Amino acid sequence: MVSSFWGALGGGGLGLALGGPLGALVGALAGHVLVDREGAPFGPAPRELIFTTGLVALSAKMARSDGVVTRDEIAAFRRIVTVPPEQEARIESLFDLAKQTSAGFEAYATQIAESFKDEPALLEDVLDGLFLIAAADGAIHEAEHAYLRHVAEIFSINAAGFARIEARHMRRPDDPYLVLGASREMSDAQLKQHYRRLVAKNHPDREIARGLPEEAIAIATRRLAAINAAWDLIETERGLGTARLPEPA
């Protein structure tokens, strides 16, 4: 995300471009009261604007959902959301404004879901980012898990999809297969082919080629690392030998 985005964060124009509850949040940060409306007056907002602002708002709400915002959660948020040093005060103000209460996240999630209804991969990116923050302190608490499940429902991510994303961040007995969305009944050849398709689909270079914001690329990089780690476990279990594809430098 370029510096001009964060530089505009303190002005009402960005909120007007967003519209809806996310626009109202940004407008409140700028000291303006914006009418909560269905859309923005200047046509659809750029997807990177919705993605980054929505991720900030939902991250703050989620971090607050268990009643405590830890340093680890803030650090995880900073690893995902890239902010120029001169604009850190603004993004912290937006985060603080959004986290004041755990109520109202449904409106933000609904606006994001509507904006990305034709790009479900972006909705998974947002949920993946939220999981990264929730797991930052070593455990996903019950209130956080309920929050994540509710966001997934608003995003129309089904139970199988939620379990697959969840498995990248929570250890379970069949964790590697859940991470890959694979079955233990698959043959070695089927698993290798499935793994290669996943790497191609989730590689950060694909996000870059699509012109997505840095936040989405950072999430994709961590997702690919989880996919490769799961594949390493399956390789060891099945004695397949090294067939892992390289991660981005």
Side-chain angles (χ1 to χ4, degrees), residues 12-178:
L14 193 60
L16 288 171
L18 273 169
L22 288 174
L25 175 65
V26 173
L29 176 67
H32 301 282
V33 178
L34 301 182
V35 177
D36 185 3
R37 57 199 177 284
E38 290 299 321
F42 309 122
R47 61 183 178 176
E48 62 269 20
L49 180 59
I50 297 171
F51 185 96
T52 303
T53 307
L55 182 59
V56 170
L58 288 182
S59 295
K61 295 287 191 183
M62 193 273 304
R64 182 73 182 189
S65 65
D66 63 350
V68 179
V69 181
T70 69
R71 288 185 178 180
D72 289 334
E73 288 170 337
I74 297 296
F77 170 78
R78 286 180 175 275
R79 286 195 296 270
I80 296 171
V81 178
T82 305
V83 185
E86 67 275 13
Q87 303 297 342
E88 285 186 356
R90 281 202 175 101
I91 195 62
E92 287 177 3
S93 295
L94 182 64
F95 190 85
D96 288 342
L97 185 63
K99 77 177 183 180
Q100 287 178 3
T101 173
S102 62
F105 73 90
E106 296 92 344
Y108 299 139
T110 299
Q111 184 175 357
I112 297 167
E114 178 62 26
S115 298
F116 298 144
K117 61 185 178 182
D118 296 326
E119 295 187 88
L122 279 178
L123 295 174
E124 183 168 321
D125 284 345
V126 174
L127 189 61
D128 232 336
L130 294 175
F131 261 106
L132 282 168
I133 293 167
D137 59 358
I140 297 179
H141 302 283
E142 184 177 350
E144 291 173 326
H145 193 268
Y147 176 96
L148 292 165
R149 188 176 292 280
H150 195 166
V151 170
E153 290 172 356
I154 294 173
F155 286 178
S156 296
I157 295 174
N158 62 24
F162 183 84
R164 176 171 44 81
I165 297 169
E166 178 187 55
R168 293 198 281 265
H169 307 278
M170 298 176 68
R171 292 189 176 276
R172 294 187 172 185
D174 52 347
D175 178 48
Y177 291 88
L178 272 177

Side-chain angles (χ1 to χ4, degrees), residues 152-236:
E153 290 172 356
I154 294 173
F155 286 178
S156 296
I157 295 174
N158 62 24
F162 183 84
R164 176 171 44 81
I165 297 169
E166 178 187 55
R168 293 198 281 265
H169 307 278
M170 298 176 68
R171 292 189 176 276
R172 294 187 172 185
D174 52 347
D175 178 48
Y177 291 88
L178 272 177
V179 171
L180 300 185
S183 166
R184 289 182 179 275
E185 284 66 48
M186 295 172 71
S187 69
D188 292 350
Q190 288 173 324
L191 273 173
K192 287 181 180 180
Q193 185 179 39
H194 180 73
Y195 163 69
R196 289 178 178 275
R197 282 199 301 264
L198 276 182
V199 170
K201 178 181 177 181
N202 292 282
H203 202 284
D205 287 350
R206 189 168 180 263
E207 309 282 77
I208 295 171
R210 292 169 61 204
L212 297 183
E214 292 179 10
E215 291 76 18
I217 296 166
I219 292 167
T221 300
R222 288 171 172 80
R223 181 165 60 239
L224 180 60
I227 289 170
N228 278 332
W231 178 250
D232 287 345
L233 291 174
I234 291 173
E235 276 189 320
T236 300

